[in-house]
């Protein structure tokens, strides 16, 4: 029969493998592991462990599991559409995103996933009926741990909101945004940015009152900026809800953009070091088109 130490080692390795599936390379390195896979292989053993090695392994596993848990809890998804002041069921009206288990963000603005972060979940998602002028929103599965810029886009859905073809052209228009507030520095100190929604878990906005009746996609997004000082460092947390707009008007949304295509990744509001603002910084510049909400 395997020794108690041997059983502990194999059980710990099993837990660690599952935990490391959510542990980014960067976070594991910070925990003292250059390669999670190499670490697990190098520690796999059926040999009895000395007391010192067992203690070392326990400390090592604790550090790595903590890093994995931190990696997951520091990220989030946007599974719930807010209607009439209340959040709907997870993924009821929001297309289930690819990160629904890992919570991991997108970082590539050229990927087709930047549109809705999903593949083939449109037909299994319900379509909510809303009125033009209603307040709706998205609720996350945890607080918005990272500082960032928030926005909401809509797109006319052709042929219908539950079609994967909806929103694949230059049909998106921005209806809302929440930008950080800039406070200028004094006495030689740099200015700072304040992020109002950083400790929240939801954001709401108004459906344009003059929006024509019909089916639409609503794309909610946070661009997290805590690692945005280098290209590709910004993190995109997003999802698309499916709605049918009633009691609308005859407005004409503009300007229209596409996803991918709305961002290059080099915009001043995406490629930015929020912790070391330049001396000539005068305010946050939102990426994407101007807001239309009439």
């Amino acid at each position: 029969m395997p020794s108690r130490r041997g059983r502990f080692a194999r059980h710990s390795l099993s837990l660690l493998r599952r935990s490391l599936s959510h542990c980014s390379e960067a976070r594991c390195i910070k925990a003292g592991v250059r390669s999670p896979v190499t670490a697990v292989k190098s520690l796999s053993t059926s040999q009895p462990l000395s007391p010192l090695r067992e203690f070392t392994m326990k400390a090592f596993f604790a550090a790595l599991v903590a890093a994995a848990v931190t990696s997951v809890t520091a990220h989030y998804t946007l599974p719930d559409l807010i209607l009439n002041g209340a959040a709907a069921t997870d993924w009821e009206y929001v297309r289930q995103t690819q990160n629904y288990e890992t919570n991991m963000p997108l970082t590539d603005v050229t990927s087709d996933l930047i549109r809705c972060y999903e593949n083939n979940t449109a037909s299994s998602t319900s379509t909510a009926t809303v009125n033009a002028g209603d307040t709706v929103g998205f609720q996350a599965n945890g607080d918005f741990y990272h500082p960032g810029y928030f926005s909401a886009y809509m797109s006319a859905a052709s042929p219908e909101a539950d079609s994967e073809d909806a929103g694949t052209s230059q049909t998106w228009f921005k209806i809302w945004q929440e930008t950080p507030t800039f406070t200028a520095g004094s006495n030689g100190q740099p200015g700072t940015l304040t992020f109002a929604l950083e400790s929240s878990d939801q954001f709401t906005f108004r459906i344009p009152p003059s929006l024509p009746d019909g089916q639409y996609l609503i794309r909610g997004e946070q661009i997290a900026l805590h690692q945005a000082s280098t290209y590709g460092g910004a993190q995109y947390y997003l999802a698309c809800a499916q709605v049918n707009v009633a009691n609308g008007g005859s407005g004409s949304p503009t300007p229209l953009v596409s996803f991918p295509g709305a961002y290059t990744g080099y915009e001043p509001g995406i490629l930015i070091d929020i912790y070391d603002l330049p001396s000539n910084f005068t305010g946050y510049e939102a990426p994407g088109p101007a807001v239309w909400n009439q």
Side-chain angles (χ1 to χ4, degrees):
M1 178 179 293
S3 69
R4 181 175 181 273
R5 292 192 182 98
R7 292 196 301 272
F8 166 79
R10 283 193 291 276
H11 177 65
S12 298
L13 286 168
S14 177
L15 291 175
L16 181 59
R17 287 191 184 97
R18 291 201 298 270
S19 298
L20 285 176
S21 68
H22 300 308
C23 181
S24 68
E25 187 74 15
R27 290 187 179 272
C28 286
I29 289 173
K30 288 181 181 178
V33 185
R34 293 197 59 81
S35 170
V37 174
T38 300
V40 171
K41 287 182 178 178
S42 67
L43 288 173
S44 298
T45 177
S46 59
Q47 300 300 316
L49 301 176
S50 69
L52 177 60
R53 183 167 174 77
E54 181 174 351
F55 174 81
T56 302
M57 286 184 67
K58 285 181 178 179
F60 175 80
F61 290 136
L64 283 190
V65 171
V69 170
T70 300
S71 177
V72 175
T73 57
H75 301 310
Y76 28 86
T77 61
L78 304 175
D80 304 332
L81 181 65
I82 298 173
L83 298 166
N84 301 315
T89 304
D90 286 2
W91 313 117
E92 181 179 3
Y93 301 115
V94 178
R95 295 180 178 183
Q96 187 178 75
T97 50
Q98 286 195 1
N99 64 337
Y100 77 99
E101 291 184 316
T102 68
N103 290 351
M104 298 303 288
L106 278 172
T107 57
D108 182 4
V109 296
T110 67
S111 169
D112 283 343
L113 292 176
I114 199 67
R115 184 180 306 118
C116 291
Y117 206 174
E118 58 83 33
N119 285 326
N120 302 318
T121 62
S123 62
S124 59
T125 305
S126 299
T127 299
T129 296
V130 298
N131 290 315
D134 280 355
T135 295
V136 300
F138 287 87
Q139 180 166 297
N141 62 345
D143 287 350
F144 298 122
Y145 178 83
H146 299 309
Y149 161 76
F150 290 81
S151 64
Y153 288 77
M154 293 187 71
S155 169
S158 178
E160 294 178 328
D162 63 357
S163 168
E164 289 292 337
D165 291 331
T168 56
S169 300
Q170 188 173 331
T171 54
W172 293 92
F173 50 97
K174 188 191 295 183
I175 63 170
W176 170 84
Q177 63 184 4
E178 174 71 29
T179 59
T181 301
F182 174 63
T183 302
S186 60
N187 301 321
Q189 297 299 311
T192 58
L193 289 172
T194 302
F195 299 84
L197 294 176
E198 189 173 356
S199 61
S200 180
D201 67 349
Q202 62 178 246
F203 55 95
T204 58
F205 44 87
R206 183 183 69 167
I207 301 290
S210 68
L211 190 67
D213 291 359
Q215 295 205 354
Y216 291 85
L217 298 181
I218 305 178
R219 179 183 180 276
E221 175 183 63
Q222 185 211 25
I223 304 178
L225 301 172
H226 59 295
Q227 294 180 344
S229 59
T230 58
Y231 181 81
Q235 298 178 355
Y236 301 82
Y237 298 89
L238 65 122
C240 288
Q242 301 176 174
V243 298
N244 181 61
V245 174
N247 300 310
S250 57
S252 182
T254 185
L256 301 178
V257 297
S258 61
F259 286 101
Y263 308 141
T264 66
Y266 290 100
E267 291 85 352
I270 293 178
L271 184 58
I272 179 175
D273 187 343
I274 62 173
Y275 304 111
D276 187 17
L277 299 172
S279 58
N280 62 347
F281 190 84
T282 58
Y284 181 80
E285 185 176 339
V291 170
W292 181 89
N293 197 314
Q294 300 174 8

